[in-house]
Amino acid sequence: MSQQRKILVTSALPYVNGSPHMGHLVEYLQTDIWVRFQKLRGHDCIYVCASDAHGTPIMLKAREMGITPEALTEGYSAEFANDFRDFGIEFDNYHTTHSPENEALVTEIFEALRKKGDIYTRTIEQAYDEKERMFLPDRFVRGTCPFCKTEDQYGDACENCSKTYTPADLIDPVSVISGTAPVMRESEHYFFKLSEYGDRLRAWMTDATLDKNVVAKLNEWFDAGLQDWDISRDAPYFGFRIPGTDDKYFYVWLDAPVGYMASFMNLCGRRKDLDFDAYWRPGSDVEVYHFIGKDIMYFHTLFWPAVLGGAGFRTPTSVFAHGFLTVNGQKMSKSRGTFIKARTYLDNLDPSFLRYYYAAKLGPTIEDIDLNLEDFIARVNSDLVGKLINIASRCAGFINKRFDGRLADRLPDENLFADFQGAADSIALLYERREYSKAMRSIMALADKANRYIDEHKPWVMIKDADRIADVQLVCTQGLNMFRSLIIYLSPVIPAVAASARRFLNEERWQWQDATSPLLAATLPRFEPLLTRVEPDQVTRMIEQSQESQPVPDTTADDDTISIDDFMNVDLRIARIEKAESVEGADKLLALTLDVGGSTRQVFAGIKAAYDPESLPGRHVVVVANLAPRKMRFGVSEGMVLAAGPGGEDIFLLSPDDGARAGMRVK
RNA sequence: GGUGAUGUAGCUCAGAUGGUCAGAGCGGCGGACUCAUAACCCGCAGGUCGGUGGUUCAAUUCCACCCAUCACCA
């Protein structure tokens, strides 16, 4: 192997205003596989990431929920960290952009750019919400498209005719926050002189050996001409305040990529062998790679290298962009149940399956990949269990039972094993180039070869012939060694399965090159199944649990108990009844208007026979807050009020003790 | 609207500077086997390579236009 490389790898920072889902995982699994591969090859590879915690959407969501942005982002960050861990994504550090390291670095970069003359201010006009007293990003203004007249479109582009414009062009614009009409107001913004970085960016683009699609996109932007970049936002904003101002903040996209550096700096605080400057200053001998989605290429291939270079830092070695995830050929959809959260997957399926499936479909390009659930079941069962694990399973029995777990001291077919050894370099090259789908294909072709070998030598026939019993040990030793090489090649993709296999083979640790030298004369423990097949039911259940418009299916049929997680899926809240009125035409229903802490919603409850509407306002009840809204003849019911009793006049609403307030979670 | 990418057997995907380039895996069908997590092995697939024109002796592979899907437009 060539000499040891020093590599720093990042995945894009997840924006923590929601839970991680299957789409997120494409990127983190792609990156994790690459990092694990580099480590297996003996390289010094560090993988850092962080939560992207700033910006308007997070600020507003926190406000809506009545909590601080810090609390909001910490909650989601914990979810991301847990889900990443459970999918076997192994960061060397996971940090946040809302950190002292990041603030220090952003400030340093800003000051360096300003000193250099790359920062200036200019007054711009922007939509302003007078009621909320804040400037509105384009996405927070909606109105009628000035071109095709479609109503309720975003302030930057029309979803119907896909023309672009500014919020000022909209007919009857409305702030999505207050519902009032925004006005145009002037504000002073800070700009970064990106326009002066064209030559340096073109040079960087050549050095970085980017994917041809990325280059095409970059050229498109160069041809259009680089515009200076607006890097400030006005208060109120959740982010870092610009030094020397009272009400100006750094735009989230300025501080987000700096979060890569901040996370690494934070790691340096724990790992004294790491020197921040050796990684991030010009002349560094470290390779730095950013894995990103194709939607954020702009920020990583233009702004980011320019900002780094301008502020006196090294630029990334390269940027690797991937495509998006579709499920069953379509965009993920909550109503179809294909908007699958990472946690929902984990509740039903083994993460190794998804890791393998994504690897089997991923290449180095920005093409989208499809998670086809039928294909998923067939693929992982056939490849992983039927072909790969099966090799070990069919050989291990003989070795365990007939040879006391003892492998032979030689291979009967060195030539065949040479095929497996010889594949090491080509498979490694495929991993290096992120050609995972091709790597998986060549590994599975070898697995077919191994199964064919066992089929041809028929150990189950030989075992009945006293003269040929020794040959059975040889054939199975050959088989298990072929399995061993393959599982080493696959270990970046399915590390958990590989670890079990390694324990079965009684070895301490593996490096890539171990795949090329056979394991002989070793004693093995009893073989245990390394992976069990996916049952279609598991996938069905996962979809059902992801389907928002459907009630959660009754799983008590096969199991009387539920897990704490199942229970926590039910969002029970204290609600205060604001209003209760009879529903015309319905003899059992009352229409309740509930305050669930900051927001109100309408719920229909079948309690008319037991309660007088006049007596209800003011009292507190318990409501299922995350029940999918249900359209009824009289309107939409957005939840369910809990009550006990058989019905009719015998219905008893649940009430909390004094002190409970609307919006409190019940658990 | 502009720009880029994608569109190949039921499904997921390979493929070539234009001429054995019409392929693999899965599914399906037939057979064999019984060591193995009903796994594995052998055989069978006739899909106008999104559509329409054009260039050429020859195009799925080049060009133009059109349609569909995805992304970006700071």
Side-chain angles (χ1 to χ4, degrees):
Chain A
M1 194 188 11
S2 51
Q3 68 191 52
Q4 192 188 41
R5 294 154 62 187
K6 282 159 86 173
I7 308 171
L8 176 61
V9 178
T10 71
S11 292
L13 312 188
Y15 197 66
V16 283
N17 66 341
S19 301
H21 55 67
M22 303 297 275
H24 285 108
L25 290 167
V26 172
E27 174 165 316
Y28 302 97
L29 291 178
Q30 181 190 37
T31 316
D32 186 67
I33 289 167
W34 203 75
V35 168
R36 284 178 182 272
F37 165 72
Q38 299 298 352
K39 289 180 174 174
L40 190 65
R41 298 276 281 172
H43 296 306
D44 177 4
C45 184
I46 291 174
Y47 180 19
V48 298
C49 195
S51 290
D52 183 4
H54 289 154
T56 306
I58 281 175
M59 176 180 76
L60 292 176
K61 177 149 188 179
R63 184 189 292 179
E64 184 186 314
M65 291 170 68
I67 57 179
T68 63
E70 284 87 348
L72 176 81
T73 57
E74 278 165 21
Y76 282 123
S77 290
E79 263 190 57
F80 271 90
N82 285 337
D83 292 354
F84 286 150
R85 183 199 60 221
D86 292 345
F87 268 98
I89 295 159
E90 226 170 51
F91 300 118
D92 289 277
N93 196 37
Y94 188 81
H95 203 46
T96 169
T97 58
H98 194 61
S99 65
E101 293 94 342
N102 204 39
E103 181 156 28
L105 281 164
V106 172
T107 304
E108 177 187 342
I109 285 169
F110 176 74
E111 295 296 0
L113 294 173
R114 178 149 70 178
K115 201 169 166 187
K116 202 162 160 288
D118 284 344
I119 302 288
Y120 65 94
T121 59
R122 189 173 82 208
T123 298
I124 65 162
E125 256 202 349
Q126 196 181 355
Y128 185 83
D129 185 324
E130 290 182 305
K131 184 168 178 218
E132 294 291 329
R133 291 195 298 182
M134 63 177 288
F135 283 95
L136 297 166
D138 292 354
R139 302 290 282 187
F140 286 85
V141 182
R142 296 194 74 124
T144 301
C145 169
F147 297 98
C148 72
K149 316 294 186 216
T150 302
E151 292 180 3
D152 199 28
Q153 294 303 306
Y154 287 119
D156 52 357
C158 174
E159 289 174 307
N160 182 46
C161 69
S162 65
K163 287 195 176 164
T164 58
Y165 41 74
T166 71
D169 301 325
L170 282 176
I171 300 165
D172 300 331
V174 166
S175 161
V176 301
I177 304 165
S178 67
T180 59
V183 297
M184 296 310 288
R185 183 178 281 203
E186 291 190 337
S187 169
E188 186 177 59
H189 276 228
Y190 286 75
F191 285 79
F192 167 64
K193 285 188 187 169
L194 182 70
S195 54
E196 300 196 349
Y197 281 81
D199 291 342
R200 292 172 69 171
L201 285 172
R202 280 174 199 271
W204 172 79
M205 175 179 95
T206 309
D207 291 344
T209 59
L210 303 166
D211 178 72
K212 68 173 169 49
N213 291 323
V214 178
V215 171
K217 204 72 193 168
L218 269 165
N219 278 327
E220 181 190 322
W221 290 327
F222 284 134
D223 292 345
L226 297 181
Q227 305 294 305
D228 291 342
W229 184 31
D230 182 352
I231 57 164
S232 71
R233 293 295 182 267
D234 291 287
Y237 197 74
F238 185 52
F240 296 131
R241 192 178 302 148
I242 297 180
T245 74
D246 293 330
D247 58 352
K248 307 284 182 198
Y249 288 80
F250 291 118
Y251 177 38
V252 58
W253 264 112
L254 180 68
D255 76 58
V258 177
Y260 299 139
M261 302 167 85
S263 182
F264 182 73
M265 178 176 270
N266 177 259
L267 179 65
C268 290
R270 289 203 306 277
R271 294 236 336 234
K272 296 305 174 194
D273 57 316
L274 295 176
D275 174 17
F276 182 84
D277 286 346
Y279 277 72
W280 285 103
R281 292 297 175 183
S284 167
D285 61 349
V286 178
E287 301 166 48
V288 173
Y289 299 106
H290 300 303
F291 283 75
I292 61 166
K294 63 178 175 179
D295 55 326
I296 55 174
M297 274 162 47
Y298 209 94
F299 300 98
H300 286 81
T301 58
L302 292 181
F303 300 148
W304 180 231
V307 163
L308 281 172
F313 290 99
R314 56 87 47 86
T315 48
T317 311
S318 194
V319 173
F320 301 142
H322 61 79
F324 277 36
L325 181 75
T326 54
V327 179
N328 291 339
Q330 295 180 291
K331 273 196 206 182
M332 298 194 296
S333 143
K334 291 187 178 177
S335 63
R336 276 191 290 267
T338 53
F339 194 96
I340 302 165
K341 289 181 181 180
R343 185 48 58 183
T344 311
Y345 176 97
L346 289 168
D347 287 341
N348 292 287
L349 292 158
D350 188 319
S352 298
F353 292 130
L354 190 73
R355 292 182 65 107
Y356 176 75
Y357 189 74
Y358 278 179
K361 308 202 94 170
L362 272 169
T365 71
I366 59 173
E367 277 183 56
D368 292 351
I369 69 167
D370 185 42
L371 167 58
N372 180 288
L373 292 165
E374 278 183 39
D375 185 50
F376 169 80
I377 296 169
R379 191 80 179 247
V380 298
N381 283 342
S382 170
D383 286 3
L384 245 27
V385 183
K387 288 180 180 177
L388 181 80
I389 304 290
N390 188 230
I391 302 168
S393 186
R394 63 198 306 201
C395 293
F398 291 113
I399 294 291
N400 281 153
K401 283 180 223 146
R402 304 301 293 262
F403 304 98
D404 294 328
R406 187 84 179 156
L407 291 177
D409 59 3
R410 69 182 177 88
L411 291 180
D413 193 338
E414 299 268 4
N415 285 337
L416 177 60
F417 191 68
D419 288 347
F420 287 68
Q421 294 169 310
D425 287 346
S426 60
I427 294 171
L429 192 60
L430 292 173
Y431 272 118
E432 175 70 34
R433 293 181 177 164
R434 305 179 321 288
E435 296 271 16
Y436 301 163
S437 63
K438 289 196 169 84
M440 297 307 105
R441 268 205 302 281
S442 41
I443 290 169
M444 285 308 146
L446 289 170
D448 287 344
K449 200 176 258 196
N451 276 310
R452 230 173 284 137
Y453 168 84
I454 297 166
D455 239 70
E456 284 160 9
H457 289 79
K458 305 188 183 356
W460 58 94
V461 174
M462 292 197 288
I463 201 72
K464 291 170 184 157
D465 181 346
D467 293 340
R468 297 169 71 192
I469 286 180
D471 288 340
V472 172
Q473 189 185 23
L474 286 168
V475 166
C476 291
T477 299
Q478 179 89 25
L480 284 170
N481 267 288
M482 292 188 285
F483 167 74
R484 176 175 168 276
S485 295
L486 296 180
I487 200 82
I488 292 173
Y489 294 146
L490 272 175
S491 62
V493 177
I494 45 172
V497 178
S500 306
R502 185 171 47 71
R503 280 190 292 276
F504 162 65
L505 293 165
N506 242 338
E507 295 185 88
E508 282 297 311
R509 58 181 307 231
W510 279 335
Q511 293 254 301
W512 186 261
Q513 283 305 313
D514 291 326
T516 63
S517 51
L519 175 71
L520 299 170
T523 303
L524 310 183
R526 187 173 178 73
F527 180 80
E528 305 287 346
L530 298 171
L531 210 50
T532 47
R533 308 169 65 78
V534 177
E535 297 300 331
D537 282 356
Q538 294 172 272
V539 171
T540 307
R541 207 172 305 140
M542 175 174 77
I543 296 299
E544 285 171 354
Q545 290 170 6
S546 301
Q547 213 145 14
E548 288 203 344
S549 63
Q550 298 286 325
V552 175
D554 181 10
T555 52
T556 55
D558 46 38
D559 190 347
D560 284 330
T561 62
I562 61 169
S563 71
I564 182 75
D565 288 336
D566 289 336
F567 173 69
M568 292 306 284
N569 281 338
V570 182
D571 189 5
L572 296 175
R573 301 271 171 178
I574 300 299
R576 184 175 175 279
I577 300 178
E578 301 280 14
K579 210 162 68 176
E581 42 195 7
S582 302
V583 180
E584 199 175 326
D587 35 32
K588 291 181 185 167
L589 293 179
L590 289 183
L592 305 178
T593 304
L594 303 177
D595 173 5
V596 288
S599 65
T600 62
R601 57 174 77 191
Q602 174 173 262
V603 170
F604 291 98
I607 57 173
K608 188 173 182 178
Y611 287 90
D612 176 359
E614 314 254 336
S615 70
L616 291 170
R619 72 172 283 179
H620 288 89
V621 292
V622 181
V623 62
V624 183
N626 61 344
L627 196 65
R630 186 156 161 225
K631 196 177 274 180
M632 306 177 76
R633 185 147 62 100
F634 315 102
V636 177
S637 184
E638 308 163 288
M640 185 169 96
V641 172
L642 297 189
E649 290 182 22
D650 289 322
I651 292 183
F652 309 97
L653 284 172
L654 267 54
S655 303
D657 272 347
D658 287 344
R661 289 194 312 277
M664 281 182 172
R665 174 128 199 203
V666 180
K667 52 190 178 184

